[in-house]
Amino acid sequence: MSDSPLLIQDADGIRTITIHRPDKLNALNAATLDALDQAFADAGADDEVRVVVLTGSGPKAFVAGADIAEMNSLTPVQGRDFSLRGTRMMRRVERLPKPVIAMVNGFALGGGLELAMCCHLRIAADTAKVGQPEINLGLIPGFGGTQRLLRLCGRAATLELCLTGAPIAADRALQLGIVNRVVPAAELEAETMKLAAQLAASAPLALRGMLDCVNVGGECGIEEGLEYEAAQFGLVFSTADMREGTSAFLEKRKPTFHGR
């Protein structure tokens, strides 16, 4: 629909979801959170989609934050509900059984960094800046920022970013482990799509198993994680893709995976 805050395109198994509110620097309001939730539900259910790329419209911002104008008048209960709305959407992204790549083309601040962190991989332009500036508004992160930062880059860096609210450049975000790669801004789309194409050509069920193992293992003890991985490892032996991949290796040819 023309009034949708999202642009969605498909090509070769890659679905690109673009947050399209350039006049608001792609800020996340309630309508955008709901649209993203539905878009990722649709991507998860579509067998033709192998990989999702998430980005923001325009050259300035991935997502500059949550929509402050909308939040300004919220009551405490409404504030909690807004937080839960965003958290549910981002957990859907995090648990999607297909790889999600955040293409961070500009500012990823507040809710924007939280959205990028719930994606499985993050590629940032060298001009991008990330941060959790909520302290400057008398707020705290509300879409999982404290928790995902803690898991990505540890206690010291999390406290620095959250307590000071100061944004950091892409190269420091790479050093801290917040993003996976930093590339020149002019090459961001090409490099992201190159990675997306590589993943789209991989075995979908094996990708799903790896995502599941990391999600489960990140929230449990080592013994439980190892048991879960062993179960998932055994499960992929039931797939045609596993037979194709091992046969192709033995026959010295490139495999073709069909997600079966």
Side-chain angles (χ1 to χ4, degrees):
M1 295 178 63
S2 60
D3 59 349
S4 173
L6 306 179
L7 302 175
I8 298 176
Q9 295 180 310
D10 289 333
D12 302 321
I14 302 166
R15 176 161 294 177
T16 302
I17 300 174
T18 303
I19 301 169
H20 186 58
R21 303 186 74 210
D23 57 322
K24 303 292 186 182
L25 295 180
N26 306 319
L28 299 174
N29 60 3
T32 305
L33 294 175
D34 290 346
L36 283 167
D37 190 60
Q38 186 61 55
F40 277 96
D42 293 343
D46 190 336
D47 290 339
E48 297 299 313
V49 176
R50 296 278 188 97
V51 180
V52 179
V53 172
L54 177 64
T55 193
S57 183
K60 293 183 179 179
F62 173 73
V63 169
D67 194 319
I68 306 303
E70 185 175 83
M71 290 197 302
N72 180 251
S73 61
L74 296 181
T75 67
V77 171
Q78 290 170 333
R80 180 201 62 188
D81 290 345
F82 184 65
S83 173
L84 292 173
R85 195 176 206 154
T87 297
R88 282 192 295 266
M89 181 274 289
M90 293 183 192
R91 282 297 273 170
R92 182 188 293 280
V93 176
E94 199 164 48
R95 292 171 170 171
L96 204 76
K98 304 169 184 183
V100 181
I101 305 171
M103 184 166 70
V104 184
N105 51 308
F107 290 112
L109 303 175
L113 179 54
E114 290 169 309
L115 181 59
M117 288 192 294
C118 76
C119 299
H120 303 126
L121 298 170
R122 289 158 292 282
I123 302 182
D126 57 1
T127 53
K129 291 190 175 182
V130 308
Q132 297 288 168
E134 288 86 354
I135 187 65
N136 299 318
L137 302 171
L139 289 167
I140 70 170
F143 296 154
T146 60
Q147 301 308 299
R148 291 192 178 90
L149 268 177
L150 188 62
R151 286 160 171 77
L152 282 173
C153 60
R155 182 184 178 90
T158 298
L159 288 172
E160 179 186 346
L161 266 68
C162 292
L163 296 181
T164 69
I168 60 174
D171 58 351
R172 180 144 192 261
L174 178 64
Q175 293 170 356
L176 292 175
I178 298 172
V179 301
N180 298 91
R181 301 182 188 178
V182 175
V183 300
E187 301 173 16
L188 177 64
E189 183 173 3
E191 288 298 314
T192 303
M193 292 305 171
K194 181 180 177 181
L195 175 59
Q198 176 188 334
L199 295 176
S202 298
L205 298 176
L207 289 174
R208 178 173 185 167
M210 288 184 224
L211 292 171
D212 286 348
C213 285
V214 172
N215 281 331
V216 170
E219 304 299 330
C220 69
I222 183 66
E223 293 300 332
E224 293 87 350
L226 290 171
E227 286 288 340
Y228 189 84
E229 182 185 276
Q232 292 295 306
F233 181 75
L235 186 60
V236 295
F237 278 75
S238 68
T239 67
D241 280 350
M242 178 270 178
R243 302 300 170 194
E244 165 66 8
T246 53
S247 296
F249 176 84
L250 294 171
E251 296 164 12
K252 297 181 172 56
R253 60 176 175 83
K254 186 175 180 180
T256 301
F257 298 113
H258 298 286
R260 298 193 294 270

